[in-house]
Amino acid sequence: RGHPLILVVAPAGYGKTTLVVDWLGQSGMPSAWLQLDEADNDPIRFFTYLVAALQERHPQVGQTLLDALHRTVPESPEALAHLLINDLAAVDEPVLLALDDYHLIRAELIQQAMGLFLEHAPPNLCLAVLTRVDPPFPLPRLRVRGLMTEIRSAQLRFTPEEMTAFLNSLHGLDLSVGQIEALE
């Protein structure tokens, strides 16, 4: 909490989704979840689904953005970002939005709008981005300003002790140190 961006970057199978789902369940924070796919590179589809996810908890959020999208696709990433920022700023409780599989998003307009969205995020917003590669956000600027938490594969990887406990204790196996090292 307190950072507008939680960035979880690791290859497939490292438990990014499991980690964030578990964290959300334990935190009790109200949240919105958007599972992305290749088709979400269309700006209208991306922002429509993003708003729909937010509106499950906050029905008033994003309506101005949806209205603008129905008229025409805004060519300006600033227009997309600021319409959503203004609506989120009016919400009187924390808003947590998780975007899973963000690495599938390559559309430049979406990337620029999301970067602006993060740089000007209202204080009540926390965006969790789960991805296999760094998104083209202004990450150095966000790091320097202390506006992000990063979780990477090194933090998600089992230590040898955790691997031993997981395989031998939890699953009732009796593997040698050499076998565990080979699996690791």
Side-chain angles (χ1 to χ4, degrees):
R1 295 186 189 192
H3 294 150
L5 176 61
I6 297 173
L7 183 63
V8 185
V9 183
Y14 268 69
K16 298 178 295 292
T17 302
T18 302
L19 171 73
V20 175
V21 166
D22 188 52
W23 170 64
L24 290 174
Q26 289 184 30
S27 75
M29 287 178 59
S31 62
W33 189 278
L34 181 55
Q35 179 69 47
L36 300 166
D37 64 36
E38 292 279 343
D40 295 323
N41 278 288
D42 171 52
I44 293 176
R45 179 180 168 134
F46 178 89
F47 285 103
T48 299
Y49 285 177
L50 187 144
V51 168
L54 288 167
Q55 285 183 341
E56 285 189 27
R57 176 78 181 158
H58 309 284
Q60 72 282 15
V61 169
Q63 196 56 52
T64 53
L65 177 57
L66 288 180
D67 294 343
L69 289 174
H70 290 307
R71 287 190 301 273
T72 181
V73 179
E75 294 179 19
S76 159
E78 290 86 359
L80 291 166
H82 290 293
L83 288 172
L84 193 53
I85 289 166
N86 292 339
D87 281 357
L88 285 168
V91 176
D92 60 356
E93 66 180 8
V95 177
L96 191 138
L97 171 63
L99 302 177
D100 199 0
D101 286 335
Y102 193 84
H103 58 275
L104 298 173
I105 302 302
R106 292 177 307 283
E108 188 66 27
L109 179 64
I110 295 171
Q111 297 291 7
Q112 290 174 356
M114 292 304 293
L116 290 165
F117 180 65
L118 279 168
E119 285 198 273
H120 304 285
N124 62 332
L125 175 72
C126 180
L127 179 67
V129 175
L130 295 72
T131 181
R132 294 181 187 172
V133 297
D134 280 351
F137 300 156
L139 297 180
R141 224 176 4 251
L142 293 168
R143 275 186 202 107
V144 167
R145 292 169 52 199
L147 298 176
M148 66 185 280
T149 298
E150 293 179 77
I151 301 170
R152 297 193 174 266
S153 56
Q155 289 89 21
L156 295 172
R157 180 175 289 135
F158 280 171
T159 65
E161 296 79 22
E162 291 168 334
M163 189 81 146
T164 300
F166 178 73
L167 294 171
N168 286 343
S169 300
L170 187 62
H171 290 291
L173 302 174
D174 188 25
L175 301 176
S176 70
V177 171
Q179 290 170 317
I180 291 173
E181 287 174 356
L183 286 170
E184 184 185 10

